[in-house]
Amino acid sequence: RSERRRVLQRAARRSRPTSAANRSKPAAGAAAPRRVLTSTVGNSFTAMADNDDSLEDASSEEDEDYDYTHTPASPADIDNIIAEFDQEMRKTLAPSISGSPKQWWKKTEDGSPTYTSPSRLAQRLHEVADELEGALVSKPKTVATTDIKPFPSLAEEALKDAEDPCRIYWDMTFVFRTISDEDRKKLSEEAAEPPRKDFTPRKTHWRHHRKKKPFNHEVFVKKAQLAGLVTSSYLSTQEDEIYVRVGATHERLRNQADNIDFQMPLHEARLRTLARRGLPEQHIAPMDIPERTPPADGAHAFSRFRAFEYIHGKFDTKEELEPLYLRTHEHAYHGGVSERSLFNSMRRLKLIWSCLNDDRSKGGANIPIEKHVAKGKHGATRETLLAALAMHDRTERKYLFDVWVRAPWATPPQRMPLEAYKEYFGEKQGLLMAFKAHITQGYGLMAVFGIVVMLWWAAIHAKSGEREKYEITASGSIVIYAAVVALWSICNTEIWKRTERTYALEWGMVGYEEKEQRRPQFKGLHDMHDPVSGRPGAFYPPYKRRRRTLCGVWVTCLCIAVNLLFLLLCVWMKTEEGTELYFGLKGLGFDQKFYMIATVLNSFGILLFKEGYERIAVRLTDAENWMTDTVYADKLIAKLTAFNFINSYFSLFYVIFFMKMPGHKQDKFEKLQKSLIILLASVIVSTNMTGFALPYLKLYKKMAREGGIDAHGEEQKVSVPENSYMMVECDEQLDNIKATTQEATQYGYITLFSAAFPGAPLMAFVNNMFQMRTDGYKYLCTYRRIQPYGVEDIGTYQSIFELMNYTGVMSSFLSIIYRTRVIPKYWPERWGGGWPEHSPTKHQLDCVFMVCCGFFACVVLVIRLLIDDVPFDVELQIKRNDFLNSKIIDHVADEADAVVLADATHCDIAVHQRDSMEDYLTFDELFNNDDEDEVTDGDDADTDVLGPGEVVHPA
């Protein structure tokens, strides 16, 4: 307490309030200046104490509602509250059962309170806690107005050294809704209500009836200041929102990085020099890690990584470790930043987000931002937070636009600057883009082979002429193409496992999921600690979640049933019976055209059902209350995949396997080919419309509503945060899940049915090449900047793509064996063949199918044995990373204790004729128990029963 008093006194002496006489008055005829509302706190900024009477209120009546400078309470105020409660508790007598249950407590003869139950005592404790919380952040005495000296501008801050401890980085802005008169009246009425005097039923906890405190810009600024952040607030152009810029000094970012053990890349050369020198003061010997085999063995490199390459370590503010961390200008893709700084904009956003969201034990303000934004967007009276904006860095943004959006179209997908993309948007967004680049590269290889097959079909068809139609279903090329697709799909996913692990090593994401924090939306049981450690945490019992999960399964099954009814209707409309019964078009030449119309209707229905179920699945997964974002995403992906598999592929499966169609089998493949082209094209068009064209319409509408465009359609000048707020909101987690689900759907069309249309990989390749650039453009110029997050792998999608591979192989085997003429055409005559007069029996076709499945299983097993999930050099580099972190960062001393060996007291080296230690025995004497049994039987026969008084204790 005394230390706290000294700190407050020093802060009060440092504060320099601005006098009211120095106000600047606007000139006549000039527009009134906009109110700029600022507040500061931190190690290097002004703090104001309650006991400083020299601070005057420099605000007008007009500004008294915009109060952003807050003063902590003095220790005396806190001591008074605690002493008052202590005195009250000392006078409290034992609970009395005679008291009225409608009273919180009753007074005794001397006036001291007597609580009638532990619940009422807990209520009083809670009230005292509220008083203490209000005292810690008390009502301020100074209101900051335009007279307060503003912060330096961003241009002035940029002139400072990048690692200046006092340099402020303004990387986030929060938008709050101004409180309307109606909301203000409602809040005042609620505040004027008398406290509850009656005791609520026992089934309802008293905590549920506690009035929730409003969360507005004032509360946010108070908590942000207590976390050591600086804020600057102002009104929007239309004066209907309050924009609160949040910044952090370089010193504050360093401290937060140390608090949360923030992973930073280490400089290779400086790390090598330090490791080879060793740390003698820490009892760590020099470390010279080899990179090649000995010269006698040829000096071969056994790893593609150098010994000190891609090493990441947790940040530490120790002076001797400061030079080890890689600076921004030393990155391979520096983002156009030439200044020497520890953190680029992506890492600064992560640290500021941690300062706001993490609990106080980690240096945070414990503000669940996402939770408050969700409530504020729904118009809650007490929640006014509308958006949390991650501000774009102009230099890094322009650099990424030049190297990504304007990259040559001939650039291979995996040659795109993925490192620069990751350094701006974060590891999660970078890994998803890397996966898209990987799968697009595979589409390109399959597109080349598919074009060759289609040209082969066209050449043979032209050679056969109009008289004889070439049968695709009787050609061996379809078998070759299906086998190549199956082999490509398996190798593609296996290679991605290795690539994914390599990215996790290079980006410092190994073991990230083990350290993942819980979601702000997670709700645990009240007053229950972590069942593993017993420390304060959150826990939700499985039996409660199980009921919600079962409810989600039933709702999903119901949605699938409704979807199946629609799909069956569309499929039935494609049949001749449906066409003839309802439309009478049979024999009039409209049956083929109506088949196309029904297919287009089916494609639109697929899109509508997909969008509708996505909203339902999000609600269901939210209700299941999962703790981490990774688990939440996995459960949501599982629901979407189960529904989309039925929704997207059912009609195609029905056409090839179940539709009754008289005539040649070639007709079924032609219908499957048409349906596949229409459905795949609809998926591609809808993806680009919803992901690229539709955001432009939303942007224009938002600009017109927020004042960015006037009534004549001309753009207006507004602040940079206001421009960012007008951009399209991006729900990073949900948008990534939707995008990857669409990628999985497109992948399924190729692996399941591309044997009917080898041009499908070409369509997917062109679409992905276009989307890679449009995604970069929309995230840079149309959407708000994505809040960066880390991720270790693509999670459940790895299993989904593997499931698509196996299902695709089974589908290809079934369609080729049972729905084509390839097997009958090439069936040997000695086994009953002789096409077209003779064909194999159903039993023979079943045997062929089982043999093919067994052969494919063996091929998959061999591929998995030959291709390791984690490459040797990646696993070796991970071990090097852990070892160097333990020595260089954690200073774990070497095991240098000397081994103590005692001298033997006697040593006889002579060899004797016999063993003198014990008698020699035969094998039966050593292991046979017959003699022991006889002795036991005899003893049992002669044993006397002892009386109670003769029993002797074994001791």
Side-chain angles (χ1 to χ4, degrees):
R1 291 174 183 174
S2 60
E3 177 64 23
R4 180 177 175 85
R5 290 191 184 96
R6 287 195 295 269
V7 171
L8 291 173
Q9 290 171 1
R10 288 197 300 269
R13 287 194 297 269
R14 287 198 305 268
S15 62
R16 293 293 183 269
T18 304
S19 174
N22 295 330
R23 297 182 180 179
S24 59
K25 299 181 180 180
R34 292 170 57 193
R35 288 170 291 181
V36 180
L37 312 167
T38 61
S39 59
T40 62
V41 73
N43 297 331
S44 305
F45 296 93
T46 303
M48 289 171 251
D50 278 345
N51 54 3
D52 190 353
D53 299 331
S54 63
L55 300 181
E56 298 179 358
D57 191 349
S59 65
S60 62
E61 297 178 359
E62 178 183 12
D63 291 325
E64 66 179 313
D65 293 329
Y66 301 99
D67 181 5
Y68 301 104
T69 302
H70 306 277
T71 308
S74 63
D77 296 335
I78 301 176
D79 293 343
N80 292 335
I81 295 175
I82 297 175
E84 180 183 353
F85 179 71
D86 181 66
Q87 183 180 6
E88 182 180 353
M89 292 302 300
R90 288 178 183 275
K91 295 180 180 180
T92 302
L93 302 178
S96 174
I97 60 174
S98 61
S100 173
K102 292 185 179 182
Q103 295 179 348
W104 288 109
W105 51 271
K106 69 173 185 177
K107 292 184 178 181
T108 58
E109 295 179 356
D110 59 351
S112 60
T114 300
Y115 294 93
T116 57
S117 72
S119 297
R120 294 172 177 81
L121 177 59
Q123 170 67 15
R124 178 59 185 147
L125 288 172
H126 189 73
E127 292 174 357
V128 173
D130 286 345
E131 294 175 5
L132 288 174
E133 183 179 357
L136 287 174
V137 185
S138 62
K139 185 66 178 177
K141 294 184 178 180
T142 300
V143 178
T145 64
T146 53
D147 300 323
I148 297 292
K149 183 179 179 181
F151 288 104
S153 64
L154 298 185
E156 294 174 350
E157 290 287 352
L159 297 177
K160 298 180 182 178
D161 183 71
E163 296 189 0
D164 184 354
C166 296
R167 177 172 175 177
I168 306 176
Y169 292 95
W170 302 92
D171 288 311
M172 293 203 73
T173 302
F174 294 83
V175 185
F176 290 87
R177 184 182 69 251
T178 56
I179 302 178
S180 61
D181 295 337
E182 182 179 354
D183 292 341
R184 196 186 307 275
K185 181 179 178 181
K186 184 177 180 181
L187 291 174
S188 61
E189 290 178 354
E190 292 180 359
E193 291 181 1
R196 300 176 63 97
K197 296 297 183 180
D198 55 336
F199 181 66
T200 54
R202 292 184 179 273
K203 294 183 179 180
T204 305
H205 201 275
W206 59 267
R207 187 188 296 265
H208 296 166
H209 292 275
R210 176 194 173 196
K211 293 181 181 179
K212 295 183 179 180
K213 295 184 178 180
F215 184 81
N216 49 29
H217 53 280
E218 296 182 357
V219 177
F220 173 79
V221 168
K222 292 176 186 177
K223 293 186 176 181
Q225 287 181 345
L226 290 176
L229 301 175
V230 293
T231 60
S232 175
S233 308
Y234 65 93
L235 285 173
S236 64
T237 305
Q238 298 177 334
E239 299 189 359
D240 57 345
E241 288 111 4
I242 299 174
Y243 286 81
V244 181
R245 281 182 178 268
V246 176
T249 62
H250 181 74
E251 184 67 21
R252 179 67 183 91
L253 295 175
R254 291 176 70 255
N255 293 334
Q256 186 63 20
D258 192 3
N259 292 337
I260 63 175
D261 294 338
F262 191 70
Q263 291 292 314
M264 288 284 291
L266 304 182
H267 193 276
E268 181 181 356
R270 295 193 286 266
L271 178 63
R272 180 187 290 109
T273 302
L274 180 60
R276 289 180 176 177
R277 188 174 67 242
L279 299 173
E281 64 278 4
Q282 303 293 338
H283 305 287
I284 298 175
M287 295 165 282
D288 190 5
I289 302 176
E291 298 176 355
R292 293 179 177 272
T293 58
D297 195 49
H300 297 293
F302 50 84
S303 173
R304 53 182 163 157
F305 303 111
R306 296 183 294 274
F308 300 93
E309 188 179 13
Y310 298 120
I311 302 298
H312 290 74
K314 61 183 180 181
F315 186 83
D316 200 305
T317 54
K318 296 177 182 177
E319 186 177 355
E320 64 271 15
L321 297 177
E322 191 79 13
L324 285 180
Y325 300 109
L326 198 67
R327 266 53 181 184
T328 53
H329 69 285
E330 297 170 335
H331 282 272
Y333 289 96
H334 47 76
V337 178
S338 58
E339 59 182 7
R340 183 181 186 273
S341 176
L342 273 173
F343 312 110
N344 61 356
S345 64
M346 182 268 289
R347 291 181 174 85
R348 293 198 303 266
L349 284 171
K350 282 186 174 182
L351 292 174
I352 294 178
W353 189 259
S354 173
C355 291
L356 293 170
N357 282 269
D358 288 351
D359 54 20
R360 299 186 183 277
S361 62
K362 296 182 179 180
N366 197 20
I367 305 175
I369 300 295
E370 296 178 352
K371 185 177 181 180
H372 287 301
V373 170
K375 292 181 178 179
K377 288 190 298 186
H378 285 83
T381 306
R382 296 177 176 272
E383 301 283 345
T384 61
L385 181 59
L386 299 178
L389 307 178
M391 304 305 296
H392 282 283
D393 186 279
R394 297 187 183 182
T395 305
E396 297 181 21
R397 180 184 187 179
K398 183 180 182 302
Y399 176 83
L400 183 60
F401 188 89
D402 292 337
V403 300
W404 186 274
V405 180
R406 294 178 177 173
W409 286 93
T411 306
Q414 290 188 319
R415 295 289 182 180
M416 295 287 285
L418 295 170
E419 184 74 17
Y421 194 89
K422 179 267 299 184
E423 284 296 321
Y424 192 74
F425 290 117
E427 292 84 2
K428 185 174 185 179
Q429 200 70 21
L431 186 65
L432 293 177
M433 185 58 70
F435 176 68
K436 177 172 281 191
H438 171 80
I439 202 170
T440 304
Q441 192 101 343
Y443 288 156
L445 297 176
M446 286 306 305
V448 173
F449 187 71
I451 291 173
V452 172
V453 172
M454 294 191 69
L455 292 176
W456 173 262
W457 289 354
I460 296 181
H461 179 69
K463 184 178 179 180
S464 61
E466 298 292 337
R467 297 177 290 102
E468 183 180 355
K469 186 176 181 181
Y470 175 66
E471 295 185 12
I472 299 176
T473 56
S475 173
S477 59
I478 191 174
V479 180
I480 298 175
Y481 179 79
V484 171
V485 169
L487 186 63
W488 163 79
S489 62
I490 298 298
C491 294
N492 191 58
T493 53
E494 292 297 323
I495 293 174
W496 169 249
K497 291 180 182 179
R498 300 167 58 89
T499 306
E500 180 182 61
R501 200 63 179 170
T502 304
Y503 281 128
L505 168 68
E506 295 177 356
W507 296 350
M509 289 289 108
V510 176
Y512 173 80
E513 294 182 0
E514 299 176 359
K515 309 172 187 176
E516 189 176 10
Q517 301 294 325
R518 65 172 181 259
R519 301 172 63 237
Q521 297 87 350
F522 176 75
K523 299 177 182 178
L525 293 179
H526 294 293
D527 304 327
M528 180 173 180
H529 293 329
D530 188 354
V532 177
S533 62
R535 297 178 179 178
F539 175 73
Y540 193 71
Y543 69 89
K544 288 189 175 182
R545 182 179 289 115
R546 193 178 299 115
R547 293 196 294 264
R548 301 187 179 189
T549 304
L550 290 177
C551 179
V553 171
W554 281 107
V555 173
T556 301
C557 292
L558 179 62
C559 294
I560 291 176
V562 175
N563 185 32
L564 280 175
L565 292 177
F566 170 77
L567 295 174
L568 288 173
L569 177 62
C570 293
V571 169
W572 181 73
M573 289 172 61
K574 299 177 184 180
T575 61
E576 294 186 0
E577 292 82 359
T579 305
E580 181 181 8
L581 179 60
Y582 277 87
F583 299 94
L585 301 177
K586 184 177 180 181
L588 300 179
F590 292 98
D591 50 349
Q592 292 297 328
K593 294 181 180 179
F594 188 74
Y595 180 88
M596 300 291 291
I597 295 173
T599 305
V600 172
L601 178 63
N602 185 18
S603 63
F604 278 106
I606 289 175
L607 298 176
L608 293 177
F609 272 96
K610 181 177 74 68
E611 291 293 332
Y613 181 73
E614 282 179 355
R615 299 185 180 184
I616 297 176
V618 170
R619 295 287 186 88
L620 295 175
T621 312
D622 288 340
E624 292 171 3
N625 194 25
W626 299 103
M627 180 174 290
T628 62
D629 285 330
T630 301
V631 180
Y632 175 87
D634 290 343
K635 300 303 179 181
L636 179 58
I637 290 167
K639 294 182 179 67
L640 294 177
T641 302
F643 183 85
N644 286 334
F645 190 87
I646 302 296
N647 186 40
S648 302
Y649 309 132
F650 175 81
S651 58
L652 298 178
F653 276 118
Y654 187 89
V655 169
I656 189 63
F657 293 118
F658 303 106
M659 180 179 286
K660 295 181 180 179
M661 184 181 299
H664 207 276
K665 291 185 177 181
Q666 175 76 10
D667 298 336
K668 277 195 173 184
F669 256 68
E670 290 180 355
K671 289 186 177 295
L672 177 62
Q673 190 179 71
K674 294 177 181 178
S675 299
L676 178 61
I677 293 174
I678 293 174
L679 293 179
L680 183 58
S682 65
V683 169
I684 292 175
V685 172
S686 65
T687 301
N688 289 282
M689 289 294 293
T690 57
F692 186 69
L694 188 59
Y696 266 104
L697 300 177
K698 293 182 178 179
L699 177 62
Y700 185 84
K701 181 180 179 181
K702 191 74 175 290
M703 291 178 67
R705 186 173 70 248
E706 297 295 334
I709 299 177
D710 60 9
H712 303 287
E714 296 180 359
E715 295 187 6
Q716 302 296 314
K717 288 186 177 181
V718 294
S719 64
V720 175
E722 288 182 83
N723 276 307
S724 298
Y725 181 62
M726 294 176 192
M727 300 175 78
V728 181
E729 182 181 3
C730 179
D731 188 341
E732 195 247 358
Q733 185 179 44
L734 186 58
D735 288 356
N736 284 337
I737 290 176
K738 290 181 179 180
T740 314
T741 302
Q742 291 172 351
E743 187 66 45
T745 303
Q746 181 179 260
Y747 183 81
Y749 282 125
I750 294 173
T751 56
L752 293 172
F753 308 105
S754 65
F757 178 54
L762 178 61
M763 297 176 62
F765 174 76
V766 174
N767 175 50
N768 280 19
M769 288 290 290
F770 178 74
Q771 276 191 356
M772 288 182 67
R773 285 161 175 79
T774 56
D775 285 351
Y777 180 83
K778 73 181 183 181
Y779 288 138
L780 289 172
C781 303
T782 309
Y783 281 73
R784 298 173 187 170
R785 183 172 182 179
I786 298 174
Q787 177 65 34
Y789 293 100
V791 72
E792 188 173 358
D793 50 44
I794 61 174
T796 308
Y797 279 113
Q798 180 68 38
S799 303
I800 291 173
F801 277 84
E802 291 180 356
L803 178 63
M804 291 290 184
N805 296 338
Y806 303 143
T807 309
V809 172
M810 300 292 290
S811 174
S812 300
F813 286 160
L814 289 172
S815 59
I816 291 174
I817 293 173
Y818 295 102
R819 291 296 181 265
T820 66
R821 297 179 183 272
V822 176
I823 301 299
K825 183 177 180 179
Y826 295 98
W827 193 255
E829 294 185 2
R830 59 179 180 176
W831 292 348
W835 185 77
E837 289 81 7
H838 303 284
S839 299
T841 62
K842 180 69 167 53
H843 176 69
Q844 291 174 329
L845 293 177
D846 294 340
C847 293
V848 172
F849 176 73
M850 289 187 289
V851 169
C852 291
C853 292
F855 177 77
F856 172 74
C858 294
V859 170
V860 172
L861 181 61
V862 170
I863 291 176
R864 288 198 166 186
L865 290 175
L866 295 178
I867 303 178
D868 296 329
D869 292 347
V870 181
F872 166 77
D873 49 7
V874 172
E875 187 174 1
L876 175 64
Q877 201 69 8
I878 292 174
K879 294 179 180 179
R880 286 173 174 173
N881 187 89
D882 296 339
F883 172 76
L884 291 173
N885 269 272
S886 65
K887 298 298 180 182
I888 304 299
I889 306 297
D890 298 331
H891 293 168
V892 178
D894 296 336
E895 296 291 339
D897 296 337
V899 180
V900 179
L901 298 176
D903 295 334
T905 57
H906 177 70
C907 181
D908 186 6
I909 61 174
V911 179
H912 301 278
Q913 293 292 332
R914 294 176 61 85
D915 182 15
S916 60
M917 297 297 172
E918 56 181 337
D919 297 336
Y920 281 53
L921 299 174
T922 64
F923 183 83
D924 291 339
E925 292 174 344
L926 184 61
F927 294 103
N928 197 349
N929 297 325
D930 292 344
D931 296 339
E932 296 178 3
D933 294 341
E934 293 177 0
V935 173
T936 303
D937 293 342
D939 292 343
D940 291 342
D942 299 335
T943 299
D944 296 332
V945 179
L946 298 177
E950 299 176 343
V951 177
V952 181
H953 195 273

